[in-house]
Amino acid sequence: MRAEEIVDEFPVVDIDSPARDAVKLLADYRLSGLVVGTDTSDKPYAVLPASQVVRFLVPAYVQDDPGLARVLTESMADHAADKLSGKTIRDLLPHKAQQVPIVDAEDTIIEVAEVMSRLHSPLVTVVKDGKLCGVITASRLLAEALKQ
Amino acid sequence: MRAEEIVDEFPVVDIDSPARDAVKLLADYRLSGLVVGTDTSDKPYAVLPASQVVRFLVPAYVQDDPGLARVLTESMADHAADKLSGKTIRDLLPHKAQQVPIVDAEDTIIEVAEVMSRLHSPLVTVVKDGKLCGVITASRLLAEALKQ
């Protein structure tokens, strides 16, 4: 079994698209992460796990001192997503360049598993001839491994 | 909005149950992680993200030297899940104790988001009166935040 045999289709969001739209996609389709692309390359630029998008609901002062989350009222907390307005996906990406979870279409499931677990990523992107051909999620990979 | 209003039901796997059965549950229901319990407490013992379960498909020598993944043949790689035989969930947990992503039923979505993003967890467990009452996944949390 090779990576390209177990890919799922997956939406790619442009790095300059509105953050709110992309987060809505993540929420509506219950995705484990977003694949971020640019218009200058066919390769994925980044994978943004859902658990990291969630960080943008948390005000900076709470990230610095988690205890402060307790002082926010329920109605203040409910408007957490307002922070996404006017932001693009680029603004949600970590400032430090991260290694992108990319595997080759010909890679085995062990090579896929190695990249996924080393980068703690809920999904890896699969590239064939320099182009994205889909993604493999952790649960899909486990399902395929158990079938054998 | 409080944590208990947005919980989803979620299976809890016993720490001493067979690893293969638990991984099958993860795969079949496309879960982002497993909630691990013990029979001595009503509180969750650990959350095991799917991307970390995947690590158990990777032989130790490949974890130490990722380049070695390339020398495995496709058919050797396809039998990666054989390693789960005879193992229990306890064997899949990290040796070092990890902080469990637990929030209180009364917590706001910012408190939930803070725990989820700080612990890089795809889901948090919600506890009421010392008992697990469900989980909140990252995508569900984002969906609820966007509704406001």
Side-chain angles (χ1 to χ4, degrees):
Chain A
M1 195 163 40
R2 301 287 175 176
E4 68 180 323
E5 294 168 59
I6 57 171
V7 291
D8 289 319
E9 275 190 56
F10 211 80
V12 177
V13 298
D14 188 85
I15 193 165
D16 293 312
S17 60
R20 205 181 163 94
D21 295 357
V23 174
K24 193 165 181 324
L25 192 74
L26 222 164
D28 287 352
Y29 294 94
R30 297 292 165 97
L31 305 176
S32 51
L34 289 170
V35 177
V36 182
T38 61
D39 53 12
T40 53
S41 169
D42 288 327
K43 274 199 177 177
Y45 179 82
V47 167
L48 194 55
S51 63
Q52 289 313 286
V53 175
V54 162
R55 189 164 64 88
F56 286 84
L57 302 178
V58 184
Y61 59 88
V62 174
Q63 289 180 40
D64 292 341
D65 180 357
L68 291 177
R70 255 176 284 132
V71 304
L72 289 168
T73 64
E74 185 175 350
S75 74
M76 283 160 79
D78 285 350
H79 289 90
D82 293 354
K83 283 182 65 202
L84 293 171
S85 299
K87 290 224 166 75
T88 65
I89 286 293
R90 193 186 293 275
D91 299 320
L92 305 194
L93 293 174
H95 296 302
K96 256 200 327 200
Q98 308 266 308
Q99 202 180 340
V100 187
I102 296 184
V103 300
D104 188 81
E106 290 291 309
D107 282 353
T108 64
I109 62 172
I110 296 236
E111 289 171 291
V112 176
E114 191 282 314
V115 170
M116 185 176 279
S117 59
R118 179 163 42 87
L119 302 182
H120 288 245
S121 181
L123 54 91
V124 298
T125 57
V126 182
V127 165
K128 187 174 187 170
D129 301 329
K131 275 192 180 171
L132 179 71
C133 67
V135 306
I136 301 174
T137 62
S139 55
R140 175 77 194 264
L141 182 63
L142 291 168
E144 296 296 336
L146 288 177
K147 270 189 210 162
Q148 302 296 315
Chain B
M1 196 163 38
R2 301 287 173 174
E4 68 181 321
E5 294 169 58
I6 57 171
V7 291
D8 289 319
E9 275 189 58
F10 210 80
V12 177
V13 296
D14 186 86
I15 194 166
D16 293 313
S17 60
R20 204 180 165 97
D21 295 356
V23 174
K24 192 163 183 322
L25 193 75
L26 220 164
D28 287 350
Y29 294 93
R30 296 294 164 97
L31 305 176
S32 52
L34 290 171
V35 177
V36 181
T38 62
D39 54 13
T40 54
S41 169
D42 288 328
K43 274 198 176 177
Y45 180 83
V47 167
L48 193 56
S51 64
Q52 288 314 290
V53 175
V54 161
R55 189 164 65 86
F56 286 83
L57 302 179
V58 184
Y61 59 89
V62 173
Q63 290 181 38
D64 292 340
D65 180 357
L68 292 178
R70 256 176 284 130
V71 305
L72 288 168
T73 64
E74 186 175 349
S75 74
M76 282 160 80
D78 284 350
H79 289 90
D82 293 353
K83 283 181 65 202
L84 292 172
S85 300
K87 290 223 168 74
T88 65
I89 285 296
R90 194 186 293 273
D91 299 319
L92 305 193
L93 294 173
H95 296 302
K96 254 196 333 197
Q98 309 267 307
Q99 202 179 341
V100 188
I102 296 184
V103 299
D104 187 82
E106 289 292 308
D107 282 352
T108 65
I109 62 173
I110 297 236
E111 290 172 288
V112 176
E114 191 282 315
V115 170
M116 187 176 277
S117 60
R118 179 162 44 84
L119 302 183
H120 289 245
S121 180
L123 55 90
V124 297
T125 57
V126 182
V127 165
K128 187 174 187 172
D129 302 328
K131 275 192 179 169
L132 178 72
C133 68
V135 306
I136 301 174
T137 61
S139 56
R140 174 78 194 264
L141 181 64
L142 291 167
E144 296 296 336
L146 289 176
K147 270 189 209 162
Q148 302 295 317

